[in-house]
């Protein structure tokens, strides 16, 4: 079963065991039917009180109110799924069990986990089932009818045409405006060297990598965790060739990096980091997107999951938005009663224009 999704494989779950964020506790759940394993699931408990910052990009009254609410009323969050990723990574099932049956079992597991945390003097404030596409979310609504269904920023999905065999095929498919954008971006990084790093090399540059990662993470509109310092090295150790780490160097100094995870026929983009001043001058982020596309075409992947954030620039290279849905419930009945209105008020709103770069 876990072979269907690398993020529920033994190797990736071991990465979480060894290098989860400091404010996160992971639980791995096996579901059995007639003593046969029919489902695997992941939960993550996050203590937001352990974070120094939820994100420093936005500084306004609404953000201050949101941070106050999270700190005081929603700081203990239990996710059924992987809050470090975008997409359906909560569970995988065999043909012996339906999605609704799996959700019903996981609801029981959630109640057991709440008791376990309560015995440790910790109360779970929010329970969240995330992320599901439209079809799956509609299917599991009956099992989660006491939860509020919500959607946030979409997952940006890049479909790779069967006609594309090389990067040039992709470039030829772009309209003139976006071919010019490609050429302009590529000229900017002629003096930058890109290198695929081993675990030892990742460890050698660990301090710089963490600085570059934190620069990007802290400038996000909202954060619920920060990666452990050894996370990328552990990923490389345990996923080996399925995890790719690319460093970008200017005058022998690392000024950025991006990471990819091979997930069967899908390429998942993972975390990245960069020096913002150089990023702007060199159009580094855009070039990283082009590099990911070129590699995925060359290796015959069917699609790239670019995840959330930076929606407009991702659409400018050809990604399209795919709505993802979650289900949320608060332990306080009064707060839960108004959670729909509260969620709409507190959720950071992103206004963006979708680009259409192909002919």
């Amino acid at each position: 079963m876990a072979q269907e999704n690398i993020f529920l494989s033994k190797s990736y779950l071991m990465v979480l065991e060894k290098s989860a964020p400091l404010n996160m506790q992971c639980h791995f759940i096996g579901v059995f039917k007639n003593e046969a394993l029919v489902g695997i699931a992941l939960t993550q408990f996050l203590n937001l009180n352990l974070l120094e910052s939820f994100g420093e990009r936005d500084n306004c009254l609404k953000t201050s109110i949101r941070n106050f609410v999270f700190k005081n009323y929603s700081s203990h969050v239990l996710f059924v799924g992987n809050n470090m990723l975008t997409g359906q990574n909560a569970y995988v099932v065999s043909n012996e069990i339906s999605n609704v049956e799996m959700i019903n079992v996981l609801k029981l597991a959630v109640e057991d986990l709440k008791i376990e945390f309560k015995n440790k003097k910790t109360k779970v404030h929010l329970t969240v089932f995330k992320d599901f596409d439209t079809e799956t979310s509609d299917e599991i609504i009956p099992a989660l009818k006491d939860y509020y269904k919500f959607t946030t920023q979409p997952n940006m999905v890049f479909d790779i045409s069967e006609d594309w065999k090389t990067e040039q095929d992709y470039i030829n498919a772009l309209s003139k405006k976006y071919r010019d954008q490609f050429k302009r971006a590529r000229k900017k990084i002629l003096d930058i060297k890109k290198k695929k790093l081993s675990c030892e090399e990742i460890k050698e540059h660990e301090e710089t990598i963490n600085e570059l990662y934190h620069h990007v993470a802290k400038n996000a509109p909202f954060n619920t965790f920060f990666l452990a310092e050894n996370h990328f090295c552990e990923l490389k150790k345990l996923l080996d060739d399925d995890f790719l780490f690319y460093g970008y160097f200017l005058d022998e100094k690392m000024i950025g990096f991006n990471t990819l995870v091979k997930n069967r026929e899908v390429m998942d983009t993972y975390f990245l980091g960069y020096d913002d001043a150089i990023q702007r001058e060199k159009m580094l982020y855009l070039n990283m997107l082009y590099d990911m596309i070129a590699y995925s075409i060359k290796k015959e992947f069917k699609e790239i999951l670019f995840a959330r954030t930076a929606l407009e620039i991702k659409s400018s290279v050809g990604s399209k938005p795919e709505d993802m849905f979650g289900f949320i419930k608060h332990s306080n009945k009064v707060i839960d009663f108004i959670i729909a209105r509260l969620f709409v008020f507190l959720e950071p709103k992103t206004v963006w224009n979708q680009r259409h770069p192909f002919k």
Side-chain angles (χ1 to χ4, degrees), residues 12-47:
Y12 182 78
L13 297 181
M14 284 178 67
V15 173
L16 294 183
E17 185 76 11
K18 291 172 176 286
S19 65
L22 294 177
N23 68 323
M24 178 185 291
Q25 295 179 49
C26 298
H27 290 85
F28 315 117
I29 299 169
V31 176
F32 295 82
K33 188 174 184 179
N34 299 325
E35 298 187 2
L37 183 66
V38 295
I40 299 166
L42 168 68
T43 69
Q44 295 176 334
F45 172 79
L46 274 79
N47 183 350

Side-chain angles (χ1 to χ4, degrees), residues 31-266:
V31 176
F32 295 82
K33 188 174 184 179
N34 299 325
E35 298 187 2
L37 183 66
V38 295
I40 299 166
L42 168 68
T43 69
Q44 295 176 334
F45 172 79
L46 274 79
N47 183 350
L48 303 185
N49 287 321
L50 298 180
L51 286 181
E52 292 180 11
S53 166
F54 289 134
E56 298 171 0
R57 190 191 74 180
D58 299 333
N59 185 18
C60 61
L61 178 61
K62 189 173 179 179
T63 301
S64 299
I65 295 171
R66 180 199 66 195
N67 292 352
F68 175 82
V69 170
F70 271 95
K71 277 282 188 183
N72 291 278
Y73 301 104
S74 303
S75 58
H76 296 160
V77 188
L78 180 61
F79 286 96
V80 180
N82 194 328
N83 193 48
M84 299 163 65
L85 304 168
T86 301
Q88 293 188 193
N89 300 296
Y91 63 81
V92 63
V93 293
S94 73
N95 295 328
E96 301 298 314
I97 184 172
S98 69
N99 283 318
V100 171
E101 287 176 309
M102 185 64 173
I103 292 294
N104 282 326
V105 173
L106 290 177
K107 285 176 71 178
L108 295 175
V110 162
E111 294 307 313
D112 286 342
L113 283 170
K114 286 181 180 177
I115 293 170
E116 186 178 315
F117 282 113
K118 186 178 179 180
N119 291 336
K120 297 176 182 176
K121 310 298 183 186
T122 300
K123 182 176 182 177
V124 174
H125 298 133
L126 279 173
T127 304
V128 185
F129 285 74
K130 71 171 294 277
D131 281 318
F132 302 97
D133 61 27
T134 301
E135 182 181 350
T136 307
S137 65
D138 288 345
E139 182 184 350
I140 63 178
I141 281 177
L144 292 167
K145 57 180 179 290
D146 53 337
Y147 282 65
Y148 169 64
K149 182 181 178 182
F150 68 92
T151 184
T152 57
Q153 293 183 25
N155 190 5
M156 297 302 288
V157 180
F158 183 94
D159 292 316
I160 297 176
S161 170
E162 292 181 358
D163 296 331
W164 298 344
K165 306 302 178 187
T166 65
E167 181 185 42
Q168 190 59 50
D169 294 329
Y170 161 71
I171 298 167
N172 292 342
L174 297 170
S175 65
K176 183 180 184 303
K177 174 182 177 180
Y178 291 95
R179 282 201 308 275
D180 290 343
Q181 173 182 277
F182 178 90
K183 293 173 185 175
R184 188 166 63 253
R186 287 316 205 191
K187 285 180 181 177
K188 294 276 189 177
I189 61 163
L190 291 175
D191 54 348
I192 291 178
K193 293 182 180 178
K194 176 187 169 188
K195 183 181 180 184
K196 183 163 69 172
L197 303 189
S198 65
C199 179
E200 291 73 21
E201 290 169 317
I202 293 170
K203 204 163 188 176
E204 180 185 335
H205 294 281
E206 198 164 73
E207 185 176 340
T208 302
I209 289 168
N210 278 285
E211 286 175 3
L212 296 171
Y213 159 71
H214 276 91
H215 177 83
V216 173
K218 285 185 177 181
N219 280 282
F222 189 66
N223 284 311
T224 55
F225 66 89
F226 290 99
L227 293 177
E229 289 188 3
N230 66 337
H231 187 73
F232 296 120
C233 192
E234 290 297 331
L235 262 173
K236 191 62 184 172
K237 279 183 195 173
L238 291 162
L239 296 192
D240 197 18
D241 290 338
D242 286 331
F243 174 66
L244 304 173
F245 188 107
Y246 289 101
Y248 290 76
F249 296 84
L250 181 63
D251 299 327
E252 306 301 321
K253 179 186 177 184
M254 183 184 287
I255 46 90
F257 72 88
N258 67 52
T259 56
L260 297 166
V261 178
K262 300 175 186 177
N263 198 359
R264 298 187 73 189
E265 296 177 329
V266 176

